[in-house]
Amino acid sequence: MAERAFQELGELLTKALISGDFALYRSILTLPMKFTPKDGPSYILLDEASLREDFDLYVSIIRLHGVTDIYRQFLGFDPIGEGQIAVRVVTHILVRANLLVAPFPTRMVVQEASDGWRIAEIESSEGHLNWTLGRALVSPQGNFETRGGVDGED
């Protein structure tokens, strides 16, 4: 996988989330789909219904905050197995030209499929994953926060 191929996959992911296009989102992810908070327990979506529910939550949260773009700054690749690569990026969530939250590291496991590369796992900050599920807020200082305080700073 070349950096450009990953950038295209990332652009499709952003387009699906910003536009609310579940069919596009589904076309670039595998099932089961694994989400892992950095240093926390994973959760796995096993079927299309649970993937759709997760997607709808994320889309509603980004619309609530007026997110207009998600930029993933490429850092590098780590081969992890036959047809699988871990891609390291720094994620920037933007409202127009402004950061909604401080950029944070993200790792995506992508795997080769007959029709191209698909995302099989996303490892992100706990705060980011909680935010996508509607369990965290964004502070005025640009951090993810739960009721107990700052969440997911790396």
Side-chain angles (χ1 to χ4, degrees):
M1 170 178 244
E3 179 181 346
R4 183 68 205 140
F6 174 74
Q7 290 294 352
E8 290 171 5
L9 186 61
E11 288 169 14
L12 290 173
L13 178 59
T14 296
K15 180 179 178 182
L17 291 168
I18 299 297
S19 68
D21 185 341
F22 179 73
L24 177 58
Y25 186 74
R26 176 66 187 96
S27 75
I28 60 172
L29 278 81
T30 65
L31 282 175
M33 179 65 196
K34 185 177 183 180
F35 293 91
T36 305
K38 190 169 174 62
D39 303 320
S42 300
Y43 67 96
I44 298 173
L45 304 176
L46 299 173
D47 56 35
E48 196 161 316
S50 59
L51 185 67
R52 178 66 194 231
E53 183 179 343
D54 187 80
F55 172 81
D56 288 345
L57 279 170
Y58 197 176
V59 169
S60 68
I61 292 298
I62 62 177
R63 287 184 176 162
L64 176 70
H65 288 277
V67 173
T68 55
D69 199 7
I70 303 169
Y71 170 69
R72 294 166 194 86
Q73 178 185 355
F74 178 80
L75 298 177
F77 292 117
D78 299 310
I80 57 173
E82 181 91 18
Q84 285 195 326
I85 297 170
V87 182
R88 293 175 284 110
V89 300
V90 175
T91 301
H92 304 252
I93 300 176
L94 302 164
V95 177
R96 293 181 297 281
N98 301 305
L99 288 169
L100 176 65
V101 294
F104 53 92
T106 304
R107 179 180 168 268
M108 294 184 189
V109 174
V110 295
Q111 67 184 40
E112 201 166 13
S114 60
D115 59 348
W117 291 91
R118 291 184 178 215
I119 301 167
E121 179 180 354
I122 296 175
E123 179 184 289
S124 191
S125 73
E126 185 174 1
H128 173 244
L129 291 177
N130 280 332
W131 179 71
T132 68
L133 296 170
R135 298 178 189 156
L137 306 171
V138 175
S139 74
Q141 296 77 30
N143 297 309
F144 294 115
E145 289 188 357
T146 58
R147 289 186 202 116
V150 176
D151 188 2
E153 289 186 339
D154 292 83

